[in-house]
Amino acid sequence: MKRWYVIVAVIVLLAGCGNRGEEVIEPAAPGENDEAASTVMFQEIDITADGEQFYIVGQAKTDGDAFFYRVEQDEETVQEEEMVDLEESDPDAFQQFEIMETFSEETLEQEEPPIVVMYGKDADNNEINPNYVPIDTEE
């Protein structure tokens, strides 16, 4: 009797999966969806905080020649978006970058640490591949 339940369940499942009518999903041709092709990757990130200043050095690889960052704290933007230009070289290689900023007294006095969000942008100006880097401001 249990076998019949399993057989009926499998038949119902297969019937439900095969009921697509005339709808055919075709794969996208290469290069057809280029707006999502932009990428940015980071590696070897080193963070140093010295009083009111912080330094971030590392390597980035992107399809473009720049990436963006902003500083957030407690889910609020402390510093608006800035762009970091990278040297124009091999797009398949990681390139060195350096970020140096100064915190305000108000930022340093907060309980939550500031977070640097580094990311790329696609053709529609949307953020892609965000990386969240907390900055330890306690001495």
Side-chain angles (χ1 to χ4, degrees), residues 60 70 78 89 123 125 130 136 138:
R70 69 176 178 277
V78 174
S89 66
N125 213 24
D136 184 16
E138 293 182 12

Side-chain angles (χ1 to χ4, degrees), residues 68-117:
F68 301 87
Y69 74 94
R70 69 176 178 277
V71 180
E72 296 180 350
Q73 188 172 34
D74 243 356
E75 298 182 17
E76 293 183 20
T77 301
V78 174
Q79 178 182 333
E80 296 299 321
E81 179 179 276
E82 295 283 333
M83 183 171 69
V84 176
D85 287 317
L86 300 171
E87 296 177 16
E88 292 184 33
S89 66
D90 184 9
D92 294 327
F94 280 90
Q95 300 174 41
Q96 291 288 116
F97 72 88
E98 182 177 315
I99 298 172
M100 183 182 80
E101 291 292 336
T102 303
F103 291 123
S104 67
E105 279 295 321
E106 183 179 315
T107 301
L108 293 172
E109 292 172 356
Q110 296 290 323
E111 193 170 310
E112 290 290 319
I115 297 174
V116 177
V117 183

Side-chain angles (χ1 to χ4, degrees), residues 23-97:
E23 178 185 353
V24 176
I25 299 173
E26 295 183 21
E32 192 174 297
N33 197 8
D34 282 341
E35 67 270 358
S38 298
T39 61
V40 63
M41 293 185 288
F42 300 97
Q43 73 177 15
E44 297 184 22
I45 295 177
D46 186 35
I47 305 161
T48 307
D50 183 22
E52 295 179 349
Q53 290 189 331
F54 74 91
Y55 306 92
I56 298 177
V57 293
Q59 297 178 350
K61 180 167 77 169
T62 180
D63 294 347
D65 57 354
F67 69 90
F68 301 87
Y69 74 94
R70 69 176 178 277
V71 180
E72 296 180 350
Q73 188 172 34
D74 243 356
E75 298 182 17
E76 293 183 20
T77 301
V78 174
Q79 178 182 333
E80 296 299 321
E81 179 179 276
E82 295 283 333
M83 183 171 69
V84 176
D85 287 317
L86 300 171
E87 296 177 16
E88 292 184 33
S89 66
D90 184 9
D92 294 327
F94 280 90
Q95 300 174 41
Q96 291 288 116
F97 72 88

